[in-house]
Amino acid sequence: MGRRTDRRLVTRYRGDEVDRRVDTLAVEEPLEIRVDGEPFTLTMRTPGDDVELAHGLLRAEGVITTREDVRTARFCTDTGTLNVLELALTVPGGVPLSSQRSLAAFGGCGLCGSTTVDAVTQRLGGQPVSGEGVSVAPSAIATALDGLKASQKIFARTGGTHGAAAATVDGEVLYAREDVGRHNAVDKVLGAVLLEDAPPPPLLVVSSRASFEIVAKAAVSRVPVLACVSAPSSLAVEAAEQLGVTLVAFARGDRLTVCTHGSRVATG
């Protein structure tokens, strides 16, 4: 596993005071993902949990649906680095043309090839997320976000990463991951769920704004409740409404804003 943090000399200005110091920074490095020997995408990520990231991304892109769809995942040794990960599918040639991705997907750019809600609906087989019987209290969302924050060791040292966590209806964190890219953090978490062959978590919390890409990833993994700490985009709300995802924004402490499918947020 590559380094997740680095140390660099910086100059800090505070009013009239100037001092030189060494800061700890989150590492950002490229990861090329190859599928059946062909380049699939290049993403900028924080090293670590790369196999989970790849599984989560391929699931979000509709390339795989279970862990059994990937026969092997290994780092290419002929490159001299750990920045090329090659996956072999159980059924070769299983990458749909609609999922062919550009190698310019900088910054962990989510579902770059799927820019419409309809495209994600097709991945769901036309069936929105049901989440039957799921009820999450605002206090549970706050508990999950506290658990996510406690797990963000790189953020505590650098202030430079996003985090995502899968949690129970009571807010107990099941899996938590962090990365310089918010989409990568989500892929890592949902990839971990996939690799464990675990059922879809009822709650996903993310330390970022609520974007279309994150809503789409949650929907494809059949996560019924998504809570983000910052604002939603208009397309995120539209997508969540159509895809059956309860979207919660501005989740901070005892405050939150429910944007869609509010019946899953318990009020009593």
Side-chain angles (χ1 to χ4, degrees), residues 195-214:
L195 285 168
E196 290 291 330
D197 203 20
L203 174 63
L204 177 68
V205 293
V206 184
S207 67
S208 71
R209 65 182 179 87
S211 65
F212 162 72
E213 292 90 348
I214 291 177

Side-chain angles (χ1 to χ4, degrees), residues 210-268:
S211 65
F212 162 72
E213 292 90 348
I214 291 177
V215 169
K217 290 177 185 294
V220 172
S221 289
R222 299 287 178 178
V223 177
V225 181
L226 168 64
C228 300
V229 301
S230 296
S233 68
S234 61
L235 187 57
V237 174
E238 178 184 341
E241 182 65 42
Q242 184 170 325
L243 299 172
V245 175
T246 296
L247 177 59
V248 177
F250 300 114
R252 302 173 184 177
D254 61 355
R255 297 183 180 183
L256 53 79
T257 300
V258 180
C259 302
T260 60
H261 300 285
S263 62
R264 296 194 188 107
V265 179
T267 56

Side-chain angles (χ1 to χ4, degrees), residues 2-20:
R3 295 175 300 112
R4 298 191 181 198
T5 61
D6 196 7
R7 303 273 287 172
R8 293 298 175 93
L9 185 64
V10 299
T11 303
R12 185 173 61 178
Y13 293 79
R14 291 188 175 183
D16 295 330
E17 297 181 4
V18 180
D19 68 274
R20 299 275 284 170

Side-chain angles (χ1 to χ4, degrees), residues 3-78:
R3 295 175 300 112
R4 298 191 181 198
T5 61
D6 196 7
R7 303 273 287 172
R8 293 298 175 93
L9 185 64
V10 299
T11 303
R12 185 173 61 178
Y13 293 79
R14 291 188 175 183
D16 295 330
E17 297 181 4
V18 180
D19 68 274
R20 299 275 284 170
R21 57 175 291 174
V22 175
D23 264 5
T24 302
L25 310 177
V27 170
E28 181 178 26
E29 291 183 351
L31 174 69
E32 181 183 342
I33 297 174
R34 299 177 185 173
V35 178
D36 288 336
E38 296 295 328
F40 184 69
T41 193
L42 178 69
T43 187
M44 304 301 293
R45 96 302 187 202
T46 300
D49 309 309
D50 290 331
V51 174
E52 294 176 349
L53 188 161
H55 278 74
L57 177 60
L58 292 182
R59 170 69 181 275
E61 291 290 336
V63 177
I64 64 173
T65 56
T66 70
R67 65 179 182 181
E68 285 77 18
D69 292 333
V70 177
R71 181 164 50 86
T72 60
R74 65 178 184 85
F75 288 97
C76 295
T77 57
D78 58 350

Side-chain angles (χ1 to χ4, degrees), residues 35-36 89 91-96:
V35 178
D36 288 336
L89 302 183
V91 180
V95 182

Side-chain angles (χ1 to χ4, degrees), residues 119-164:
V120 183
T121 302
Q122 291 177 3
R123 281 190 195 139
L124 294 173
Q127 299 297 319
V129 178
S130 63
E132 185 177 354
V134 172
S135 181
V136 180
S139 59
I141 294 174
T143 297
L145 284 168
D146 287 343
L148 171 60
K149 183 177 181 180
S151 73
Q152 289 185 262
K153 306 303 183 184
I154 302 176
F155 179 82
R157 297 176 62 193
T158 68
T161 58
H162 287 290

